[in-house]
Amino acid sequence: MQEVVLGRLSGEITLKSPGIVKEWLNLIIRHIKKRLLRKNLEVRNVYSQESRIFIEPKENSDVEQISENVAKIFGIKEAIVAIRTSLNLEDIIAASKEVASDLKGTFAVRTRRAYKQFPYTSIEINRIVGEALIETNKGLKVNLENPDSLLEIEIRKSGAYIYKKRKVGFGGLPYGVSGKGVALMSGGIDSSLAAWLAMKRGMKIVVVHADMGKYYSDLARKRVLSVLRWLADWVPSGRLKAYMISVAELHEKAKLPVNRFRCVFCKMLLIKLAELVARKEYAHAIITGESLSQVASQTSQNLKAINTITRYPILRPLIFMDKTEIDHLAQRIGLYRITSIDVGSCRLVPRRPAIETEDKVAYKLMDIVESLPLDEAVDNARVEIIEA
């Protein structure tokens, strides 16, 4: 008997053409190897069979840690620690007894027979193993409809796999298969979560952070670095490229027609800076954390005005999510504890920001943005490689 980790792919991947499935499987395997290597988790082998990924740990490796790290690879919806045995029925029963030794109350056995030449049907295996478990543990009772515990067995040509523990992953697509995007990140919950969601959909990201200088706090700068290190951990290599662009002087040079348009102008400025970075990085899209009508600059009227500044697609993963949904997802992935720190407010926000920007004002703001030394700001940006 040997403990192994099984990686289950997100269902969306398995629906692709055979060529794409094979290509993406190989990519996910490379990502798993990279992540485990940088986490100092040693494995003998990582390979795939029939759209399932198998990770064989070396002796004395922490199998649960391996499964937790496999579950953080985009494209994996579940990482399962299992005992692998031969296809001998007695070995399957012995392994099942080991896994079920601590079970109490009611239980059921579920078998998936991927190897159809195995001489017993799934129902027969369920019955035989279930009877053996009851003989060993008289306190157990069978409940096929709503059991307290479930023992799962998978029969494959390579052996039988008795599940011990499941770690739910996040699914999505393999990192890098959906092109490259520039993610605008303030370090707050929304923009950070939007970047993560783009990564989950297979987009490689480069980050742009606008340093607001005296108009923001030092704590805000520390927070964004913490978020970037957290985000870098989701990249298989553990490395993330970030442009830190100073924008305080750009704001001071901009003479707005009315100050209540400051927030719309600011977002147009950031989008334009992101576009310039996208050109340098050969990226295909810009990612922001806007949620419809959450703040004044995110009304549909203002989003329309902001869109005039670029021909690049602006991806807004949170656009129809409310604050509760955003916070819950951030908590689930471990982001909330970092981003929820109070770092104060931007000192440039007007008392009554505009909730609607007319086209003629939008074009005026666009002219102001494009009159600023933006190329110089990008050239002078502090470019960092963030490591998890």
Side-chain angles (χ1 to χ4, degrees):
M1 292 189 293
Q2 177 194 12
E3 279 193 330
V4 297
V5 176
L6 308 180
R8 293 183 64 195
L9 299 178
S10 60
E12 185 177 359
I13 294 176
T14 60
L15 297 176
K16 303 294 182 184
S17 67
I20 292 294
V21 171
K22 183 179 180 181
E23 180 184 336
W24 287 6
L25 262 172
N26 291 334
L27 181 58
I28 290 172
I29 287 171
R30 293 199 296 274
H31 289 171
I32 290 172
K33 288 179 177 178
K34 280 184 180 179
R35 182 175 181 89
L36 295 182
L37 181 64
R38 69 180 173 86
K39 295 291 183 177
N40 297 315
L41 294 166
E42 295 185 317
V43 294
R44 268 197 293 267
N45 201 6
V46 182
Y47 59 95
S48 65
Q49 285 181 358
E50 300 173 350
S51 299
R52 181 82 89 241
I53 295 175
F54 296 79
I55 301 98
E56 298 178 349
K58 282 189 176 180
E59 194 172 347
N60 299 322
S61 287
D62 190 327
V63 181
E64 288 200 19
Q65 277 294 310
I66 290 173
S67 70
E68 287 186 10
N69 278 278
V70 170
K72 289 191 73 172
I73 296 294
F74 292 125
I76 296 289
K77 74 173 180 181
E78 196 171 39
I80 303 161
V81 177
I83 293 180
R84 179 169 62 193
T85 75
S86 73
L87 291 177
N88 181 286
L89 191 56
E90 294 304 318
D91 289 342
I92 295 172
I93 291 171
S96 298
K97 287 181 178 179
E98 180 180 327
V99 172
S101 60
D102 295 329
L103 296 187
K104 296 178 182 178
T106 61
F107 81 104
V109 180
R110 299 277 192 273
T111 301
R112 178 178 178 269
R113 195 175 59 132
Y115 180 49
K116 301 304 181 184
Q117 285 70 40
F118 191 70
Y120 297 90
T121 67
S122 296
I123 294 175
E124 288 172 334
I125 298 168
N126 294 343
R127 178 181 55 79
I128 293 168
V129 172
E131 289 175 353
L133 296 183
I134 289 174
E135 286 178 7
T136 303
N137 187 343
K138 301 296 184 182
L140 284 176
K141 292 184 178 180
V142 174
N143 183 336
L144 300 180
E145 299 298 326
N146 188 28
D148 297 324
S149 304
L150 189 63
L151 181 78
E152 295 180 83
I153 301 171
E154 191 170 319
I155 303 294
R156 291 181 167 270
K157 189 175 183 179
S158 58
Y161 298 83
I162 295 83
Y163 293 3
K164 288 183 68 176
K165 187 174 290 187
R166 293 172 177 269
K167 181 68 179 178
V168 177
F170 296 92
L173 302 179
Y175 185 71
V177 302
S178 299
K180 183 190 283 190
V182 173
L184 280 169
M185 275 184 55
S186 66
I189 291 177
D190 296 353
S191 60
S192 306
L193 184 59
W196 183 87
L197 286 169
M199 293 168 68
K200 178 175 176 284
R201 289 301 299 170
M203 180 164 274
K204 183 178 181 179
I205 68 164
V206 173
V207 170
V208 166
H209 172 69
D211 187 338
M212 299 296 291
K214 64 185 180 182
Y215 299 108
Y216 222 27
S217 68
D218 288 338
L219 195 56
R221 280 180 275 277
K222 291 178 182 177
R223 182 182 66 175
V224 76
L225 290 174
S226 296
V227 173
L228 288 173
R229 284 191 289 269
W230 174 87
L231 201 62
D233 191 47
W234 293 87
V235 180
S237 66
R239 293 159 63 87
L240 189 65
K241 191 173 186 179
Y243 285 73
M244 308 297 193
I245 304 177
S246 178
V247 300
E249 290 185 5
L250 296 176
H251 273 281
E252 289 167 357
K253 289 178 180 178
K255 305 302 180 185
L256 303 189
V258 184
N259 195 49
R260 65 193 183 94
F261 295 108
R262 176 67 61 178
C263 293
V264 175
F265 163 80
C266 182
K267 186 52 66 78
M268 294 174 82
L269 171 63
L270 299 184
I271 294 291
K272 198 64 181 179
L273 291 170
E275 178 190 291
L276 295 177
V277 173
R279 290 177 185 172
K280 288 172 68 78
E281 293 290 335
Y282 301 100
H284 316 104
I286 297 166
I287 304 149
T288 75
E290 288 153 321
S291 172
L292 188 61
S293 296
Q294 187 179 112
V295 295
S297 65
Q298 297 173 14
T299 62
S300 59
Q301 298 93 327
N302 281 341
L303 292 177
K304 175 177 177 286
I306 290 165
N307 285 354
T308 62
I309 198 68
T310 185
R311 294 180 66 182
Y312 273 69
I314 302 175
L315 308 182
R316 298 177 168 101
L318 312 185
I319 193 68
F320 295 125
M321 295 174 68
D322 63 32
K323 198 61 182 169
T324 300
E325 292 171 313
I326 291 168
D327 287 350
H328 283 172
L329 181 52
Q331 288 167 353
R332 182 180 165 221
I333 63 178
L335 174 64
Y336 187 84
R337 60 183 174 79
I338 306 171
T339 54
S340 61
I341 298 170
D342 184 7
V343 297
S345 301
C346 174
R347 300 183 185 103
L348 285 173
V349 175
R351 287 185 61 189
R352 294 178 181 272
I355 61 172
E356 184 173 354
T357 304
E358 297 177 356
D359 288 350
K360 63 180 181 181
V361 177
Y363 294 132
K364 177 64 176 176
L365 295 176
M366 183 169 63
D367 289 341
I368 295 171
V369 169
E370 293 180 341
S371 71
L372 298 171
L374 304 183
D375 288 309
E376 182 182 334
V378 172
D379 290 341
N380 292 334
R382 192 171 76 254
V383 183
E384 298 187 17
I385 304 299
I386 308 295
E387 297 191 353

